[in-house]
Amino acid sequence: MAYNIIECSNEVDFGAKARLAFCKAIRGLNGLPNVILPTGNTPAPFFQALKDSKVPITPFQYLQLDEYLGLPEDDEILFKNWLDRDVLSPLGITHRMAFNSAADPASEIQRIRDWYNHFRRVDVAVLGIGKNGHVGFNEPGSAFNSRARVAEMSDETWEANNKYWDREVPKKIITLGITELKLASTTLLLARGEEKADILYEAFYGEMTTEIPASYLQLQRNVVIIADKNALGRFPK
Ligand code: GLP
């Protein structure tokens, strides 16, 4: 299989190894690297390592992965605001291709699709994986040729998202499709914890199926799985 695995022993190790893999992937490219970053609990140690490092980060352009739909632009729970507070502003990343949660959904989707049609360049996609195999908000059933679109979270994902904020988040979302994710020259898939062990195994060793959206990675170039021992629990030794 065409992917590398980086096994991590604890949170600090995870952050350090994810940072190294990320810096390697964005170094030495022509122009400003285009980078998709995820939200969620999984990437927290990675973001911390980026902020703690004394080595200045190569500037990059942040590309938004997914977002709640229909909230005011200053709502603290918007993913782009979460990332702004936690990562982008502390790192001084000013170039951003973010989504407008409050815009007319049809024109916002058109704007996003036009952007990807025009630039067709994603240098690195950093992704998490949902317990049902979702990537971004590409829930089970998402076609491997799906594009940026408005969609709905599954009940399970919605409940997981409510836990981030202790409030009910919108069920409707904007997500990049698998088509845009497939543009990535390098994909760093992050996973932590035993609760991700089964789905991580299914995504890479099971059937490639739209029921497990992350299984598109089986045919993707340059995939690096960065995971702790618990998440890799079912991988062959
Ligand atoms: C969320 C996000 C994803 C994220 C995933 C896993 O719903 N839309 O981008 O990767 O679920 O989240 P966590 O890392 O908190 O398990």
Side-chain angles (χ1 to χ4, degrees):
M1 294 206 184
Y3 55 83
N4 291 315
I5 301 172
I6 300 180
E7 186 177 294
C8 310
S9 49
N10 56 42
E11 272 189 25
V12 174
D13 190 42
F14 179 92
K17 285 176 173 162
R19 188 187 78 81
L20 272 184
F22 178 72
C23 291
K24 191 173 147 203
I26 61 170
R27 202 181 298 137
L29 300 171
N30 282 329
L32 202 59
N34 278 328
V35 172
I36 295 172
L37 291 178
T39 47
N41 293 322
T42 308
F46 162 54
F47 294 150
Q48 195 58 49
L50 287 178
K51 289 187 285 185
D52 288 348
S53 172
K54 293 188 176 60
V55 184
I57 185 105
T58 305
F60 62 84
Q61 170 157 252
Y62 159 66
L63 308 181
Q64 187 159 12
L65 172 62
D66 48 15
E67 187 58 281
Y68 304 127
L69 189 64
L71 292 178
E73 282 287 276
D74 61 354
D75 196 313
E76 59 163 3
I77 78 168
L78 287 181
F79 288 160
K80 67 176 174 189
N81 294 339
W82 180 2
L83 278 183
D84 173 56
R85 289 188 302 268
D86 263 27
V87 199
L88 301 174
S89 281
L91 292 180
I93 301 299
T94 52
H95 290 86
R96 305 175 189 190
M97 166 45 186
F99 306 157
N100 186 335
S101 174
D104 165 59
S107 35
E108 184 60 0
I109 294 304
Q110 198 54 54
R111 184 184 72 85
I112 298 164
R113 288 184 176 189
D114 288 348
W115 192 94
Y116 279 90
N117 280 338
H118 182 74
F119 290 104
R120 301 203 64 74
R121 173 177 167 180
V122 176
D123 296 291
V124 185
V126 184
L127 301 174
I129 182 168
K131 276 202 282 184
N132 62 1
H134 73 249
V135 277
F137 277 129
N138 291 283
E139 292 278 25
S142 299
F144 289 143
N145 65 356
S146 56
R147 297 168 66 197
R149 65 199 185 283
V150 169
E152 249 187 41
M153 278 184 241
S154 66
D155 289 343
E156 182 189 2
T157 305
W158 183 66
E159 274 153 28
N161 271 261
N162 290 339
K163 285 196 193 127
Y164 295 141
W165 305 109
D166 221 5
R167 93 180 214 207
E168 288 199 354
V169 306
K171 254 194 149 177
K172 281 216 158 141
I173 50 81
I174 300 175
T175 187
L176 291 184
I178 295 176
T179 297
E180 288 87 13
L181 299 183
K182 285 199 288 201
L183 289 172
S185 302
T186 302
T187 301
L188 305 181
L189 184 73
L190 310 183
R192 295 193 293 130
E194 203 182 340
E195 61 171 23
K196 299 289 172 72
D198 285 339
I199 198 64
L200 197 62
Y201 176 80
E202 288 299 327
F204 286 91
Y205 286 90
E207 189 192 341
M208 198 176 135
T209 162
T210 55
E211 285 313 301
I212 301 182
S215 67
Y216 85 92
L217 291 168
Q218 292 184 20
L219 289 185
Q220 182 70 6
R221 63 199 155 144
N222 295 332
V223 175
V224 184
I225 303 169
I226 304 169
D228 63 13
K229 285 187 197 313
N230 293 332
L232 289 171
R234 289 196 55 201
F235 270 48
K237 302 288 171 232

